[in-house]
Amino acid sequence: MVEKNKHYNIEITDVSSDGNGVGQIDGFTVFVPMTVTGDVVEIVVVKVLSRYAIGRMLNIITPSPMRKTPDCPVFKRCGGCHLQHIKYENQLEIKRSFIEAAMQRIGGFDGFKCDEIIGMEKPERYRNKCIFPIGTDKSGETVSGFYAKRSHEIIPVDDCMAGLEINGKIVNAVKEYMAEVNIKPYDETRHKGLVRRVFVRDGRNSGEIMVVVSVNGKNIPKREVLIKKLREVSENIVSIFINVNEKRTNNVLGEENKLIFGKPEIEDTLCGINFRISPHSFYQINPVMTEKLYDKALEYAEITENDKVLDVYCGIGTISLAASKTAKHVTGIEIVEQAVRDAKKNAENNGIKNTEFFADSAENAVPKLIESGMRPDVVIIDPPRKGSDEATLKAIASAEPKRIVYVSCNASTLARDAKFLAELGYVPTKCTGVDMFPHTSHIEVVSCFEQLK
Ligand code: SAH
């Protein structure tokens, strides 16, 4: 019997897909955050449930050869990069094993192998979008940083290594402005105070930066002071917004944005295509690895000049536009209307004429298009975490494309859908991971499905 509050020495034998070390006490599974395969650790059991327990590491008795000292000073308290205690090459191997385990256990593909994960050359400062909550600490000081794990306590951080170094200076400029004009941070328990969050987005290839200050109000006093301070940080800050966020919610941004300086959009290029990004646009957060992801997806897709391509869950059309360079025609389907408007505009701005985009759900649009006679040669799907659905997959398979390239941010739902595709005659023939989110347990998977002959 595993007992709460009791101390145990255990060996960690695996890492779970959410990034926790896994060990056993008398055959009973225990999850221990911040440990890794090969560690021998002393733990205290903090929770016992019917099928597993949760432990907290007290001491490392023998460190795993995979272990390294985390670079980030707030690693233990911030909920962000929870694999930082693992050497990067081992993180990639662990993520490959997540994919293989999911495809074997959930997908039922015995002995399934995934190619080596494509890792990031310099796995740091990769995020092009960062959000910093602003609040007050116990002494009444204005602080900014990150929420602690599963809580709304703000952990002060001046420099988060996932984003650009300049972000810290931008947040400081906002705090200086707040001090100078005497405005208070938002207090979520009392629903009072003004400044809630600072949202920073950068176009990695253009260098342009957008700053959005989210406030519990319709405006801010003396906005010229804020603009001046931000522009002193960098002239690359070419777009400054106030975001009206007056509701009691956890939403990062409210619906309304007010441009107070510069341009309404920043620019960036991906795979040689120019994109304009506004505060609410969906845009992949690791631009360096996004190019590698799309390159891999297009390599698997093997599109030739006579091919008609269907890109389902197309967002702002990034994959569609990259595919349009080699394809005869590309049709994109996406549920968010604004994203579809962005996709159309992106096509137009880049002079791309062989694409069309529809705002509709995949489960509604894809069966209709196929029934009306559409016969895509290649289908690319990139669904959200919950994966695709049977109606969409059935319709795709019934059109008998040469290939289906599935891009997934969740190996478990990919494996479930892969099993269904196999029942429809399409089996996974190639698979690899692209590490879009270094130091987190997330992994993007690209796989190719072809018809069983
Ligand atoms: N391929 C794009 C976006 C991938 S994210 C890129 O690489 O940038 C998944 C997209 O699926 C999101 O844009 C989301 O809005 C969209 N989506 C979610 N549910 C959907 C559904 N049922 N039908 C169509 N699109 C959906």
Side-chain angles (χ1 to χ4, degrees), residues 282 284 294 313-315 318-319 334-336 360-363 382-384:
F282 173 86
Q284 298 278 3
Y294 293 168
Y313 312 95
C314 71
T318 34
I319 299 179
E334 159 64 45
I335 201 164
V336 175
D360 198 351
S361 72
E363 55 275 28
D382 182 6

Side-chain angles (χ1 to χ4, degrees), residues 322-337:
S324 74
K325 290 191 209 164
T326 41
K328 183 172 180 192
H329 187 266
V330 185
T331 305
I333 310 285
E334 159 64 45
I335 201 164
V336 175
E337 284 181 23

Side-chain angles (χ1 to χ4, degrees), residues 169-280:
K169 296 190 183 124
I170 291 172
V171 176
N172 274 337
V174 176
K175 285 196 288 186
E176 278 175 29
Y177 152 77
M178 290 169 66
E180 197 168 313
V181 306
N182 195 22
I183 57 178
K184 295 267 171 286
Y186 177 65
D187 171 347
E188 64 177 25
T189 45
R190 290 166 46 236
H191 193 52
K192 285 220 158 66
L194 193 61
V195 178
R196 296 176 81 136
R197 289 181 187 88
V198 180
F199 170 108
V200 187
R201 222 165 193 189
D202 69 275
R204 203 53 60 95
N205 291 313
S206 69
E208 293 186 337
I209 298 173
M210 169 184 284
V211 179
V212 184
V213 180
S214 152
V215 295
N216 173 34
K218 295 216 167 19
N219 228 319
I220 56 165
K222 295 198 182 149
R223 55 166 76 164
E224 64 288 352
V225 179
L226 175 67
I227 295 165
K228 181 163 172 285
K229 287 199 183 287
L230 285 172
R231 292 280 294 169
E232 276 166 10
V233 172
S234 169
E235 290 190 354
N236 285 350
I237 300 176
V238 294
S239 172
I240 305 174
F241 281 95
I242 295 299
N243 174 266
V244 180
N245 193 0
E246 294 177 299
K247 292 195 185 136
R248 271 184 186 269
T249 97
N250 286 334
N251 292 350
V252 170
L253 294 179
E255 273 165 33
E256 190 189 348
N257 296 308
K258 290 184 176 170
L259 184 68
I260 61 166
F261 174 82
K263 314 192 284 179
E265 288 159 330
I266 55 169
E267 295 196 12
D268 200 23
T269 46
L270 263 187
C271 302
I273 296 158
N274 191 275
F275 290 95
R276 293 189 197 168
I277 310 148
S278 54
H280 278 100

Side-chain angles (χ1 to χ4, degrees), residues 47-187:
K47 205 174 201 174
V48 183
L49 296 145
S50 61
R51 293 173 59 197
Y52 63 90
I54 296 169
R56 181 161 56 83
M57 181 173 74
L58 298 172
N59 281 305
I60 303 175
I61 298 164
T62 315
S64 159
M66 296 186 195
R67 198 169 254 289
K68 75 182 264 277
T69 309
D71 295 321
C72 177
V74 293
F75 163 68
K76 287 191 180 152
R77 292 193 295 154
C78 168
C81 310
H82 46 290
L83 299 186
Q84 275 216 26
H85 60 294
I86 304 173
K87 288 177 187 158
Y88 188 57
E89 67 266 28
N90 296 119
Q91 291 182 20
L92 298 179
E93 267 312 304
I94 288 169
K95 291 185 188 189
R96 165 150 79 172
S97 68
F98 291 166
I99 300 169
E100 291 181 346
M103 290 295 272
Q104 291 170 12
R105 286 184 210 148
I106 305 169
F109 303 100
D110 292 337
F112 184 89
K113 288 276 172 253
C114 168
D115 285 348
E116 207 170 296
I117 307 283
I118 302 168
M120 212 176 166
E121 230 162 87
K122 278 179 78 184
E124 57 195 46
R125 305 215 177 273
Y126 59 85
R127 286 190 71 105
N128 60 9
K129 176 174 109 176
C130 288
I131 297 146
F132 304 89
I134 307 275
T136 310
D137 69 9
K138 291 189 183 90
S139 68
E141 281 289 310
T142 298
V143 288
S144 61
F146 291 94
Y147 291 123
K149 285 174 197 163
R150 288 181 287 277
S151 113
H152 271 201
E153 178 203 349
I154 295 174
I155 302 194
V157 185
D158 287 330
D159 179 25
C160 167
M161 288 161 54
L164 292 180
E165 217 171 329
I166 197 172
N167 290 348
K169 296 190 183 124
I170 291 172
V171 176
N172 274 337
V174 176
K175 285 196 288 186
E176 278 175 29
Y177 152 77
M178 290 169 66
E180 197 168 313
V181 306
N182 195 22
I183 57 178
K184 295 267 171 286
Y186 177 65
D187 171 347

